[in-house]
Amino acid sequence: MSSLKNSPFGKRLRASHQENEVESPSKRTRPRTNSLFGAPAPLPGSTPSLDSSRPTTSESGGPESPFDLRNQKEYGDRFVPSREVGDLRTTYHLMDDAKSSTPSKAKMIPTESDALREQANSLFNQVLQTEVTPVSPQRPSSPVRPAATASTVPPTTPTRRRLFTYNSPSAGSNPATPTRRLDAPTDEAYAMSPVRAESRLLLESPRRQLRNVCKTPYRVLDAPELADDFYLNLVDWSSTNVLGVGLGACVYLWTAHTAAVSKLCDLSNTNDTISSVSWVQKGTTLAVGTLSGRLHIYDANTLQRQRSYPQAHANRIGALSWNAHILSSGSRDRQIHHRDVREATARPFKRSSGHRQEVCGLRWNGDSNPQSALLASGGNDNKVCIWDLRGSKRPGLRATPGPSSTAGSSSVAAAGVTGGEDGGDIPLWKFHEHTAAVKALAWDPHVSGVLATGGGTADKHIRFWNVGNGSMLNELDTGSQVCNLTWSLTSHELVSTHGFSSTTAQNQICIWKYPSLDMVASLTGHTHRVLYLAMSPDGETIVTGAGDETLRFWNSFPKKDTNEAKRESRLDYGRLIR
């Protein structure tokens, strides 16, 4: 022990203790500067804070540093960690995330990752239910106490029996004798899995594969002066792969396969503004509606105007739809006019008056079937009307609207009157379920007579109708304003664009599987309401437009991989012939 005291290490240790004892009080309380943060070090005994954004103060009033250099003990030439003063949370940076106690209002619409999570949660719940409450047909029933009889049996002395029997029971000797369960090689006692056979069957069963959709647009185009107006329709894609866009007083054409841009018309000299554009189903004819109620017909090949209707409507034309050579226009004057563009007359051959406010959505059923003459219209009066311009009538129905036996609060009206300019002004069906303006309309190309409609900010629902009997098939609460709808041409899926919302994420493009209405994908990128939507003629790409003055192209429905079809079959003996 004396050798340790006289060693150089012992001398340095005694000298350090003597310096600490003769240190003045003023020197002890003087704050020491931390070279890492440039702040005074805390005094001994104070607790460091994990919140670096809010400085803490000691009893002396000075700010504290998360590291105390004075509390570190000196161990000479060796480093011995001291765990009694260490803070593991600070050492390993395990700081709590700053989470608000109140729930966020920006709740996301379920994306495909949420769909995977829901699928996994559903499978987990099924396995958990199977494990906790197994359903076994061989489960023994609970013993039932026999009812006491009136006659009492006197106790008797039991006969002497052997307590232990070593004979093996046979399977068919006594029905009450249990079978040898462990003799079966498939018994659960021999299973290697920790779960039951029913749970293994659930885990090993094939599950539905969710389609992977690209979440980023492959092209973004600037669209200056693209109006942020819910009641306008300024984007449409033709069958010849040309995109028509109304920007301010001009209409521009963008050719998809060459990316060439050309100006179709400029109405600035008439102080007018484009309010709607619509391509004919097959061809290069484009209809253009304006805010002043004018209607123009253009040929995209020659960039020339073919027809013009100066007084087509008394107010702006917000919706256009074609059915072969028939052009239907909906206006703020609450009227729907039908014109045959082959005739030079300016007057419509038929008018439809079924809305009490602006007509903001029109869509013809373009299927080549007996129902192809049906027109769907949506208005700012929250109503959806189905029109039949052929003048057919349904038996047993009158012009007076009445409640439908299958559609709940839907009302049914007789079909339009045959002949005459004002014929067909009574809708075939009229639906009242929506509680906001209905602009989004889309006919199902895969199932005849199915119509999808979407409501505005106060409604937030997509509803599906069977126009054959006027019944509502299904409804979907999207949680946000439905601005537009379109069906996929290659799969039975529906695309919806959204805007304002108080509880969910805004400005999204959603893809839904029909009829299960499961979320396939949710696309984000726009910073304003996604008011405009169109699909390419091949059905692979959708284009969306918003008030942020951008057009975004999404490859949402790519072609399936045909590598398997291109493989050479061993049964194809034709390729072996030289």
Side-chain angles (χ1 to χ4, degrees):
M1 194 67 179
S2 59
S3 60
L4 179 61
K5 292 181 180 180
N6 298 328
S7 64
F9 171 75
K11 294 180 180 179
R12 290 197 302 270
L13 185 61
R14 287 196 301 272
S16 62
H17 287 324
Q18 292 176 1
E19 290 177 1
N20 292 335
E21 291 175 358
V22 300
E23 188 178 14
S24 61
S26 61
K27 186 177 180 180
R28 294 178 184 176
T29 59
R30 184 175 60 190
R32 180 179 300 176
T33 302
N34 191 336
S35 60
L36 181 60
F37 297 98
L43 295 178
S46 60
T47 303
S49 173
L50 293 178
D51 190 359
S52 59
S53 61
R54 183 175 55 189
T56 57
T57 57
S58 62
E59 296 178 356
S60 61
E64 294 181 343
S65 170
F67 301 99
D68 188 2
L69 301 179
R70 290 177 55 85
N71 281 343
Q72 296 182 0
K73 295 184 179 180
E74 298 180 3
Y75 293 96
D77 57 349
R78 293 187 302 165
F79 173 73
V80 180
S82 178
R83 297 185 180 273
E84 59 184 4
V85 296
D87 191 348
L88 293 179
R89 295 176 62 85
T90 305
T91 305
Y92 292 97
H93 305 283
L94 299 178
M95 300 183 66
D96 295 331
D97 296 334
K99 296 182 180 180
S100 175
S101 59
T102 59
S104 174
K105 291 185 177 181
K107 181 182 177 182
M108 297 293 293
I109 295 178
T111 60
E112 66 273 10
S113 59
D114 297 326
L116 288 172
R117 189 180 298 110
E118 290 180 3
Q119 188 182 60
N121 290 339
S122 176
L123 181 62
F124 173 77
N125 292 333
Q126 295 178 12
V127 172
L128 183 63
Q129 183 178 5
T130 304
E131 292 297 314
V132 175
T133 58
V135 179
S136 178
Q138 299 179 355
R139 179 184 296 178
S141 58
S142 301
V144 179
R145 184 187 297 272
T149 58
S151 60
T152 59
V153 179
T156 59
T157 303
T159 59
R160 293 181 174 271
R161 292 182 180 179
R162 297 181 62 180
L163 297 179
F164 304 101
T165 57
Y166 301 99
N167 58 331
S168 299
S170 59
S173 60
N174 188 2
T177 303
T179 60
R180 299 185 62 126
R181 182 175 64 86
L182 297 180
D183 290 346
T186 59
D187 190 83
E188 295 182 359
Y190 306 121
M192 301 296 294
S193 176
V195 296
R196 300 177 184 271
E198 296 83 356
S199 301
R200 293 197 302 271
L201 184 61
L202 289 174
L203 294 174
E204 296 172 358
S205 61
R207 290 183 291 275
R208 179 176 59 90
Q209 296 294 332
L210 299 177
R211 185 167 64 87
N212 187 18
V213 180
C214 183
K215 304 298 290 293
T216 58
Y218 69 88
R219 186 189 298 270
V220 179
L221 299 179
D222 291 331
E225 299 186 44
L226 185 62
D228 187 15
D229 194 330
F230 176 79
Y231 299 97
L232 305 185
N233 292 273
L234 299 176
V235 178
D236 198 14
W237 208 326
S238 74
S239 61
T240 58
N241 209 13
V242 178
L243 186 68
V245 184
L247 303 177
C250 303
V251 175
Y252 292 90
L253 304 179
W254 182 79
T255 306
H257 59 275
T258 61
V261 179
S262 58
K263 181 187 291 188
L264 178 65
C265 65
D266 189 352
L267 306 180
S268 57
N269 54 350
T270 60
N271 295 326
D272 210 348
T273 305
I274 307 298
S275 59
S276 58
V277 296
S278 178
W279 290 96
V280 69
Q281 284 95 335
K282 295 181 180 180
T284 60
T285 303
L286 179 66
V288 178
T290 68
L291 291 182
S292 62
R294 297 186 178 95
L295 182 61
H296 306 287
I297 309 296
Y298 289 90
D299 186 358
N301 285 337
T302 61
L303 304 181
Q304 298 295 324
R305 185 168 60 187
Q306 295 179 334
R307 296 195 184 279
S308 182
Y309 305 95
Q311 299 296 329
H313 286 274
N315 213 317
R316 70 179 178 188
I317 302 174
L320 295 170
S321 184
W322 288 85
N323 184 18
H325 54 274
I326 304 299
L327 175 61
S328 301
S329 57
S331 173
R332 199 173 185 177
D333 60 6
R334 302 173 295 177
Q335 297 287 327
I336 302 175
H337 292 179
H338 310 280
R339 290 179 170 84
D340 190 340
V341 297
R342 299 174 299 179
E343 300 178 358
T345 177
R347 299 185 62 184
F349 71 88
K350 192 169 291 187
R351 291 187 176 94
S352 300
S353 302
H355 293 279
R356 296 184 178 181
Q357 294 189 33
E358 179 177 4
V359 179
C360 49
L362 280 179
R363 191 63 61 92
W364 277 98
N365 186 359
D367 298 341
S368 57
N369 53 52
Q371 300 248 355
S372 60
L374 294 182
L375 173 69
S377 64
N380 199 32
D381 56 355
N382 312 340
K383 305 299 187 293
V384 177
C385 296
I386 309 298
W387 309 89
D388 189 353
L389 302 188
R390 297 169 299 180
S392 60
K393 294 184 179 181
R394 295 186 178 276
L397 298 181
R398 302 298 181 186
T400 303
S404 173
S405 60
T406 55
S409 61
S410 303
S411 66
V412 182
V417 182
T418 59
E421 180 183 324
D422 296 331
D425 58 346
I426 300 177
L428 184 66
W429 305 102
K430 196 169 186 179
F431 306 118
H432 300 258
E433 274 73 13
H434 286 287
T435 58
V438 181
K439 174 191 175 184
L441 303 167
W443 292 93
D444 190 347
H446 307 283
V447 180
S448 177
V450 174
L451 174 69
T453 60
T457 306
D459 186 75
K460 305 181 180 66
H461 280 75
I462 300 175
R463 292 181 170 88
F464 302 87
W465 310 93
N466 182 0
V467 298
N469 54 16
S471 62
M472 186 173 66
L473 301 174
N474 207 338
E475 64 178 349
L476 172 65
D477 185 3
T478 64
S480 59
Q481 177 190 33
V482 183
C483 301
N484 232 315
L485 293 173
T486 189
W487 288 91
S488 170
L489 302 178
T490 58
S491 61
H492 208 183
E493 295 175 345
L494 180 69
V495 182
S496 63
T497 62
H498 301 272
F500 295 137
S501 174
S502 58
T503 58
T504 61
Q506 305 182 26
N507 315 322
Q508 287 191 332
I509 303 103
C510 299
I511 302 177
W512 311 91
K513 189 70 176 179
Y514 188 82
S516 62
L517 300 182
D518 294 330
M519 170 71 69
V520 177
S522 177
L523 312 177
T524 58
H526 286 288
T527 58
H528 287 67
R529 296 180 296 174
V530 188
L531 300 176
Y532 311 110
L533 172 66
M535 181 170 288
S536 62
D538 59 3
E540 295 185 18
T541 304
I542 59 173
V543 59
T544 56
D548 55 8
E549 299 184 347
T550 61
L551 295 175
R552 299 175 184 266
F553 295 79
W554 314 81
N555 190 19
S556 301
F557 305 98
K559 292 183 179 179
K560 295 182 179 179
D561 190 9
T562 58
N563 292 334
E564 296 182 0
K566 294 180 180 180
R567 291 178 181 174
E568 295 181 350
S569 175
R570 294 183 178 181
L571 300 178
D572 186 9
Y573 296 100
R575 65 184 180 88
L576 301 178
I577 300 176
R578 299 295 181 182

